[in-house]
């Protein structure tokens, strides 16, 4: 079974590299490793488990900006992970900006992913502010 | 579904002379007169969506002013998993079963909104409830349902839960029925009766149920996105059901002024066909009622906007801020409608003696974006009033501050660092006034694992948002 090294990076600077099989999700592998990642539905509907792809196998990041940017490179995201089911919680703009649902995503390349609850809160802003 | 044919049972009658052996109270008036002052509250506590490595929990809060632990969380029933997002919950039995000998108001049915896991908690020992059974999400998904919301018991010991999505978190939602052993009985309604779902209330004596609409789970779970409003992904309809048949008889589109109709309440009087629903996004309250003369004498439900909260300008916000009335409640005597404007920071009470003309009685400006009171006992509030609960006698109104974890993060990001609070106002139903009780504060910011959010509130012996009468 092919596996890939997925490096999880928290906002406080902590990092952890987990070896993830191609048939397991990044969330499952992180849990086996004892890492605490946020999640909710585990079906790809809620976005609670969102991570953000920072780098795929040493290539440039899919997009250095946050959600909402237009000039993104969706291909790099699609090269990095395969989904078990439809990632319903992510809109096109989120996927283009490199957001990944770790509860249903399995790696297809070594990658670095920003994790933690703050990633989920980037998906939508306060529209009145 | 009805036990009216059971030998020996007495048909429900208007004067309620049927025997009262089961849970709850014979009438709403009996609840007011015989109900004791609330000494405990059960409150949903949650960590979902944060990095705190702990499951959500049911908080037991001491509300007895003579107790040493007044205003403290005296017990926390931790659930087995993280990620549930405890939200709304209910009893296995309420006053609708007051004629059911042998049935007890004993088990709390506590769904996880995000996980679709359903917990059954035995609260026979009111101060130390215990987890009894867990229905795992996979069992729920088998019925192509997810995202459990409102729990009501139905009068023969079974339990009905509104479900907002299908197994994938898309539309349509529906209703899941549990039997009295807390096993899934199946879908309650023929699939396809409705697309969107949220809250519901039933009035068995009128053979009617009303349900409201939020959105598909995949729409509201990640947070509130105006793009979804523009695309019509949020609800604006009320559905009136034949309660016995489980089929929709009438749907009322509330239009743009009725966007996101959330909590829906019939008056407590079982004969009444009047009720209210709060349209959160358009910040309006609608009155609905059955017009017997409509439809050539067959009768039909009508809905009309009766309260309109204006958006307010705020120096730090680009656009006028909507009030966002997220919860409403009717006092047990059906005299007052209470509500919370989560974004503005206001709890309010309207006299609904004439339900088609609610009259503003009083309000409190507290928390939120505009509240005059922004801290209690030196504790910053960090969010607006949200889920509300009223004592049976109508003299004490309590509220918590969290709406939904991802929506909290958008509008009140500090709440995840500070946690929620529970506050209280003393209400004078005779004068129609409210006063903030500054001595009362329950703080979820101090929980051992870290600051938690707090959501719906229930009393051990029935309350204004769960009890129904046959
Ligand atoms: S946990 Fe809900 S989308 Fe992953």
């Amino acid at each position: 079974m092919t596996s890939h090294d997925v490096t999880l990076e928290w906002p406080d600077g902590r990092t952890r590299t987990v070896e993830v099989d191609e048939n397991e999700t990044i969330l499952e592998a992180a849990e086996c490793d004892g890492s605490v990642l946020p999640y909710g539905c585990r079906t790809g509907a809620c976005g609670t488990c969102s991570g953000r792809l920072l780098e795929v196998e040493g290539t440039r990041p899919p997009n250095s900006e946050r959600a909402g940017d237009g000039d993104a490179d969706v291909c790099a995201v699609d090269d990095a992970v395969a989904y078990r089911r439809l990632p319903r919680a992510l809109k096109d703009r989120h996927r283009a900006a490199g957001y990944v649902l770790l509860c249903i995503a399995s790696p297809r390349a070594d990658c670095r992913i920003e994790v933690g609850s703050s990633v989920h809160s980037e998906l939508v802003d306060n529209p009145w502010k | 579904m009805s036990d009216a044919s059971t030998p020996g049972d007495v048909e429900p009658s208007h004067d309620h002379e049927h025997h009262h052996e089961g849970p709850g109270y014979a009438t709403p008036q009996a609840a007011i007169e015989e109900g004791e002052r609330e000494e405990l509250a059960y409150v949903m506590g949650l960590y979902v969506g944060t990095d705190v490595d702990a499951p959500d929990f049911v908080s037991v809060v001491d509300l007895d002013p003579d107790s040493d632990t007044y205003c403290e969380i005296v017990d926390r029933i931790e659930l087995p998993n993280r990620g549930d997002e405890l939200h709304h919950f209910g009893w296995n039995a309420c006053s609708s079963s007051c004629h059911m000998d042998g049935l007890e108001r004993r088990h709390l049915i506590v769904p996880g909104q995000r996980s679709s896991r359903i917990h059954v908690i035995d609260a026979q020992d009111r101060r130390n409830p215990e987890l009894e059974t867990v229905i795992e999400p996979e069992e729920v998904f088998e019925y192509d349902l997810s995202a459990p919301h409102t729990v009501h018991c139905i009068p023969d010991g079974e339990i009905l839960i509104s479900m907002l999505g299908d197994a994938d978190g898309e539309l349509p939602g529906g209703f899941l029925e549990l039997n009295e052993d807390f096993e899934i009985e199946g879908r309650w309604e023929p699939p396809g009766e409705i697309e969107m779902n949220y809250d519901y209330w039933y009035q068995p004596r009128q053979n009617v149920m009303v349900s409201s609409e939020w959105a598909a789970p995949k729409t509201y779970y990640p947070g509130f996105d105006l793009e979804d409003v523009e695309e019509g992904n949020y609800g604006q309809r009320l559905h009136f059901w034949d309660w016995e048949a489980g089929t929709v008889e009438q749907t009322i589109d509330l239009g743009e002024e009725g966007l996101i109709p959330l909590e829906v309440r019939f008056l407590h009087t079982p004969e009444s066909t009047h009720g209210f629903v709060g349209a959160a996004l358009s910040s309006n309250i609608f009155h609905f009622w059955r017009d017997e003369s409509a439809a050539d004498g067959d009768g039909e439900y009508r809905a009309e906007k009766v309260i309109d909260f204006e958006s307010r300008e705020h120096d730090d916000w680009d656009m006028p801020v909507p009030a966002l009335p997220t919860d409403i409640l009717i006092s047990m005597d059906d005299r007052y409608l209470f509500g919370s404007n989560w974004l503005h920071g206001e709890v309010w009470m309207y006299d609904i003696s004439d339900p088609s003309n609610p009259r503003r009685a009083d309000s409190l400006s507290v928390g939120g974006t505009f509240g005059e009171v922004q801290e209690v006992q030196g504790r910053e509030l960090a969010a607006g009033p949200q889920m509300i609960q009223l004592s049976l006698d109508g003299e004490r109104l309590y509220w918590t501050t969290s709406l939904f974890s991802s929506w909290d993060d958008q509008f009140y990001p500090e709440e995840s660092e500070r946690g929620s609070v529970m506050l209280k106002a003393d209400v004078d139903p005779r004068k129609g006034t409210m006063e903030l009780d500054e001595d009362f504060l329950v703080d979820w910011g101090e929980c051992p694992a870290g600051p938690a959010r707090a959501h719906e509130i229930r009393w051990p012996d029935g309350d204004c948002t769960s009890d129904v009468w046959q």
Side-chain angles (χ1 to χ4, degrees), chain A residues 7-58:
Chain A
T7 303
L8 309 173
E9 300 192 10
W10 281 265
D12 63 5
R14 264 183 312 136
T15 68
R16 177 133 196 128
T17 301
V18 185
E19 197 180 304
V20 190
D21 279 352
E22 282 201 344
N23 66 351
E24 68 180 337
T25 67
I26 297 168
L27 179 65
E28 285 163 355
E31 285 177 331
C32 290
D33 183 63
S35 297
V36 173
L37 296 180
Y39 64 86
C41 69
R42 301 183 81 112
T43 63
C46 76
T48 313
C49 64
S50 293
R52 189 164 161 269
L53 214 48
L54 299 170
E55 190 181 3
V56 183
E57 278 185 334

